Amino acid sequence: MAALCRGRHRWKRTNCLYVVKRNLTGKYDYDLVVVGGGSGGLACSKEAAQLGQKVAVLDYVEPSVKGTKWGLGGTCVNVGCIPKKLMHQAALLGTAVKDAKKYGWQISGPVCHDWATMAEAIQNHVRSLNWGHRVQLQDKKVKYLNVKGNLVDEHTVKGLTKAGKETILTAKNIVIATGGRPKYPTNIPGAMEHGITSDDIFWLKKSPGKTLVVGASYVALECAGFLTGIGLDTTVMVRSIALRGFDQQIAGLVTDYMETYGTKFAWSCVPKRVDKLSSGALQVTWTDTQTGSRAPETKALGLDKLGVQLNDETGKIVLGADESTSVPNIYAFGDIGEGRPELTPTAIKAGKLLARRLAGQSTELMNYDNVPTTVFTPLEYGCVGLSEEEAEKRHGKDGIEVYHAFYKPLEFTVAERDASQCYIKVVCERAGDQKILGLHFTGPNAGEVTQGFAMGFQCGAAYSHLLQTVGIHPTCAEEVVKVNITKRSGLDATVTGC
């Protein structure tokens, strides 16, 4: 807050309310105020500043129930993509050590993992990213305020510091990019008292030990995967299906591989209560009922008072194609938006495009179709476009053609690893040029493979384009351009030869 005292600001104090006055010729303090300093909010603010806009970013991390807090950068940097991928890498290295013996490496004695060493290294890297984001905002002349934002009207935001001091900022436009946080199942006694969430696990100083992961979203499966991979006894408790919203055949392959990998699954059940025993261990009683999920960070923003329309079921903000809310001059994007993909690159892209439109530099809208993603489970799963279920729903069973293949990565051969879940599926329109509707890939480096093919979707790629593409040998990705067996044929889709 001391930074606010510099430059062309003067303070007016009325009781405990601090009002920032700027000697500007314009009507408002800022052209744009962004509430939320995650990947999307930062991208939007920096883009707007580069286009000559006067911008401020408000970011404040409410500590988790367990007291975990972090710096600037949002979920992805602090408790999401970055630490998750690094812990996933730690697990992959554990598997590589086992494979190494088959490749001639002489490894004597048991190999064990030290959580504290890994955690410290990852947390230090995250802190360096926090600092980097602050430097970028300063370099681009974006005002950063470590305050909790609350909307007063369509042009005014009230900021509250940790010490309880209030600051008023006015802006021509306001953008909400506060994302979401894990939601505890409050109907389960002991869950909040004894459980932790993904907001906590990456900042633990000590190993969590034997772990029950409640839920089977991609976040849950990724956490269970790296916990298993570093040698911890891990069970996933699944209420109904795994990876809801993803292709369910692939979801089955992912969980099958995880079971082979050592992760245990408790299907069709959820916790009823959590108790701490005298030994210090946690005892979970389970049954069949509803559990928690992720909740959008909207409650503290005061949106209800302004009439900003929310989805009654999810609590997320209802948005137009241009990220507009039901109130003029208030916009939102990212995880907080109803129906928007909860993915960092999507929020970054949407934020930049919104900044350009608000600055009058562009009319381009975010295209939310064919957004690629990867689930970083022990057997990675990358996809872009429609699942087979969604394609069938839109085009009819006879309106699609599904090409598929089971393949064995070359790296798995010498190591004698099971490859029965390494699979490729290309969902196409059946008629005409057979436009590709969806591509699904399980196997090593799925994100790298899927990213390349995703560009083809923006160009209207068809099955014929795959056939015309020369593969890079020997790679897993080349199996995608070689796929030629249809599900409809009933033929064996196992790839043979090299």
Side-chain angles (χ1 to χ4, degrees):
M1 293 304 295
L4 283 175
C5 299
R6 304 193 196 99
R8 298 186 301 168
H9 290 87
R10 58 189 176 87
W11 290 77
K12 178 181 178 183
R13 181 172 183 178
T14 307
N15 295 327
C16 292
L17 181 66
Y18 287 77
V19 181
V20 181
K21 297 276 189 177
R22 293 180 62 95
N23 297 322
L24 302 175
T25 56
K27 186 177 179 182
Y28 306 106
D29 299 328
Y30 295 95
D31 296 304
L32 179 67
V33 167
V34 178
V35 183
S39 301
L42 293 176
C44 181
S45 63
K46 290 185 289 186
E47 186 73 14
Q50 284 188 305
L51 295 172
Q53 301 282 286
K54 199 172 292 289
V55 186
V57 172
L58 280 62
D59 187 65
Y60 182 86
V61 179
E62 195 72 52
S64 73
V65 172
K66 298 301 179 184
T68 307
K69 54 186 177 180
W70 49 87
L72 182 64
T75 298
C76 174
V77 168
N78 295 283
V79 290
C81 319
I82 299 302
K84 175 272 303 288
K85 180 71 181 296
L86 291 173
M87 289 195 178
H88 171 63
Q89 175 65 12
L92 292 182
L93 289 172
T95 300
V97 169
K98 296 175 184 176
D99 290 350
K101 296 179 181 179
K102 295 284 186 178
Y103 279 92
W105 286 95
Q106 302 299 308
I107 301 174
S108 59
V111 177
C112 59
H113 180 268
D114 181 65
W115 176 280
T117 300
M118 173 190 70
E120 182 181 10
I122 291 174
Q123 290 160 14
N124 285 340
H125 175 65
V126 169
R127 289 188 185 97
S128 74
L129 296 178
N130 298 148
W131 176 251
H133 282 308
R134 295 190 66 165
V135 171
Q136 287 177 23
L137 291 180
Q138 185 175 6
D139 289 345
K140 296 183 185 300
K141 305 298 189 290
V142 175
K143 192 69 181 177
Y144 164 59
L145 302 174
N146 184 212
V147 298
K148 186 188 300 184
N150 181 279
L151 275 66
V152 178
D153 59 39
E154 64 268 33
H155 294 294
T156 309
V157 177
K158 178 172 66 177
L160 184 68
T161 70
K162 184 179 180 181
K165 295 180 180 180
E166 292 183 347
T167 302
I168 298 293
L169 300 91
T170 61
K172 180 181 179 181
N173 292 301
I174 299 169
V175 169
I176 303 169
T178 49
R181 298 284 291 271
K183 179 183 176 183
Y184 275 94
T186 54
N187 60 316
I188 300 175
M192 189 175 294
E193 179 184 357
H194 302 301
I196 65 171
T197 71
S198 55
D199 276 357
D200 306 299
I201 191 167
F202 302 110
W203 290 92
L204 294 178
K205 301 296 184 185
K206 298 180 180 179
S207 170
K210 183 178 181 180
T211 304
L212 174 68
V213 177
V214 179
S217 66
Y218 73 91
V219 176
L221 296 188
E222 288 174 337
C223 288
F226 70 66
L227 289 173
T228 302
I230 62 175
L232 300 182
D233 186 340
T234 309
T235 300
V236 178
M237 189 169 277
V238 189
R239 177 173 61 88
S240 55
I241 61 174
L243 296 179
R244 186 179 301 277
F246 289 86
D247 188 285
Q248 284 302 290
Q249 180 193 7
I250 307 294
L253 294 174
V254 169
T255 54
D256 285 349
Y257 185 91
M258 288 182 68
E259 288 188 294
T260 303
Y261 187 71
T263 307
K264 296 186 279 292
F265 283 81
W267 296 95
S268 301
C269 57
V270 293
K272 185 176 181 180
R273 62 178 299 111
V274 182
D275 298 292
K276 191 167 187 176
L277 305 178
S278 58
S279 64
L282 299 177
Q283 176 178 278
V284 179
T285 305
W286 57 269
T287 185
D288 187 7
T289 185
Q290 189 74 15
T291 57
S293 55
R294 288 185 71 83
E297 286 284 87
T298 55
K299 291 183 179 180
L301 293 172
L303 303 182
D304 52 337
K305 297 177 183 177
L306 301 183
V308 174
Q309 184 182 356
L310 305 179
N311 181 290
D312 293 335
E313 185 176 340
T314 64
K316 293 190 174 187
I317 301 174
V318 177
L319 300 174
D322 61 350
E323 321 299 353
S324 60
T325 69
S326 56
V327 176
N329 304 109
I330 297 178
Y331 300 82
F333 64 91
D335 293 11
I336 202 171
E338 177 60 34
R340 299 298 196 243
E342 295 183 355
L343 300 168
T344 295
T346 311
I348 291 174
K349 181 71 173 177
K352 288 182 177 180
L353 291 175
L354 175 58
R356 293 168 193 167
R357 293 195 301 273
L358 293 179
Q361 300 294 315
S362 172
T363 59
E364 183 183 357
L365 298 175
M366 176 65 189
N367 178 8
Y368 287 101
D369 292 330
N370 300 323
V371 172
T373 190
T374 291
V375 182
F376 290 99
T377 37
L379 183 69
E380 296 177 3
Y381 166 31
C383 62
V384 56
L386 302 181
S387 64
E388 183 177 351
E389 294 92 341
E390 185 61 27
E392 188 174 312
K393 180 179 177 182
R394 296 190 190 185
H395 299 273
K397 193 174 184 66
D398 292 330
I400 63 172
E401 195 73 84
V402 179
Y403 295 88
H404 67 149
F406 286 94
Y407 72 100
K408 187 161 191 172
L410 184 62
E411 300 90 330
F412 282 27
T413 55
V414 172
E416 298 179 347
R417 287 172 59 184
D418 180 24
S420 56
Q421 286 86 30
C422 292
Y423 181 69
I424 295 163
K425 178 194 290 190
V426 182
V427 184
C428 307
E429 290 181 352
R430 193 178 183 191
D433 294 335
Q434 293 192 297
K435 179 182 177 180
I436 300 176
L437 303 172
L439 188 150
H440 304 266
F441 175 97
T442 60
N445 307 303
E448 314 299 338
V449 173
T450 308
Q451 181 69 82
F453 285 104
M455 188 175 74
F457 278 70
Q458 301 303 320
C459 306
Y463 177 65
S464 59
H465 294 128
L466 279 186
L467 298 181
Q468 294 164 13
T469 302
V470 177
I472 300 173
H473 187 71
T475 63
C476 296
E478 73 172 313
E479 300 301 337
V480 178
V481 302
K482 290 163 55 179
V483 67
N484 63 90
I485 302 295
T486 66
K487 276 192 171 184
R488 194 183 308 275
S489 71
L491 299 175
D492 183 4
T494 303
V495 175
T496 57
C498 67

